[in-house]
Amino acid sequence: MIAGIALIATDGRLARFREPGAMHGINWGLTIGVMIAAYTVADGYAVKALLIAPLVLDWCSNTVRATLLLPALRGGNWRAAMTGHWRSAIIVGLISPLGYIFVLTALGWGAPLHIVAPTREMSMMVGALFGLAFLGERVGQWRLTGCAVLIGGVVLLAG
């Protein structure tokens, strides 16, 4: 799966990982990956062992996030930055939590964490394919190969 993500991110030019600043991005990526893994395990425990409803867990999590981010809005130029983007922001704001509620529901129904979590991280592949379909981005041979490798990794984990 990591190889697939690397191919998608670099379009097959793995030497880009040796460029100045590449390790900075890799370190951020690894940090984010560890954080996602930690909250996915915690949320899996919450819906499987503590029997917290996925909708309630997601609502509480979003309330805490909004409360923590609220101070960042004070004094910022966020209203000007949002001009012309409200509709998109509302759509993403509704769809994004729905996707995670589906993940939590699958875990609550007994789906194994070691399958659900990696499958969820196929967002790199979905992003590349959405870029092709909706933004007209070029998705060459290496990105498609990365998508196939990523799918293969998920299938191997599920096997």
Side-chain angles (χ1 to χ4, degrees), residues 92-153:
V92 170
L94 293 172
I95 292 174
S96 179
L98 184 62
Y100 196 54
I101 290 168
F102 288 157
V103 168
L104 294 174
T105 300
L107 291 171
W109 286 350
L113 184 65
H114 75 278
I115 294 173
V116 173
T119 303
R120 178 175 170 243
E121 296 311 312
M122 290 177 60
S123 60
M124 283 288 291
M125 180 189 73
V126 172
L129 297 177
F130 271 31
L132 169 71
F134 299 111
L135 302 176
E137 291 182 356
R138 187 184 70 75
V139 177
Q141 167 191 354
W142 286 108
R143 285 197 173 156
L144 290 175
T145 301
C147 290
V149 169
L150 186 56
I151 291 169

Side-chain angles (χ1 to χ4, degrees), residues 9-158:
T10 65
D11 201 14
R13 295 181 296 242
L14 298 178
R16 294 176 92 185
F17 286 121
R18 285 190 232 120
E19 292 177 2
M23 286 309 296
H24 186 69
I26 291 169
N27 289 337
W28 273 110
L30 290 172
T31 301
I32 291 167
V34 167
M35 298 299 284
I36 289 171
Y39 79 69
T40 302
V41 169
D43 289 351
Y45 179 78
V47 296
K48 283 184 173 201
L50 302 178
L51 303 176
I52 298 173
L55 187 62
V56 172
L57 180 62
D58 189 67
W59 185 84
C60 290
S61 298
N62 286 329
T63 301
V64 169
R65 271 191 292 278
T67 303
L68 292 174
L69 291 173
L70 195 58
L73 295 177
R74 292 195 180 115
N77 199 11
W78 63 273
R79 286 183 193 200
M82 287 299 297
T83 302
H85 302 286
W86 285 104
R87 182 172 183 252
S88 298
I90 290 169
I91 291 170
V92 170
L94 293 172
I95 292 174
S96 179
L98 184 62
Y100 196 54
I101 290 168
F102 288 157
V103 168
L104 294 174
T105 300
L107 291 171
W109 286 350
L113 184 65
H114 75 278
I115 294 173
V116 173
T119 303
R120 178 175 170 243
E121 296 311 312
M122 290 177 60
S123 60
M124 283 288 291
M125 180 189 73
V126 172
L129 297 177
F130 271 31
L132 169 71
F134 299 111
L135 302 176
E137 291 182 356
R138 187 184 70 75
V139 177
Q141 167 191 354
W142 286 108
R143 285 197 173 156
L144 290 175
T145 301
C147 290
V149 169
L150 186 56
I151 291 169
V154 170
V155 169
L156 286 173
L157 282 172

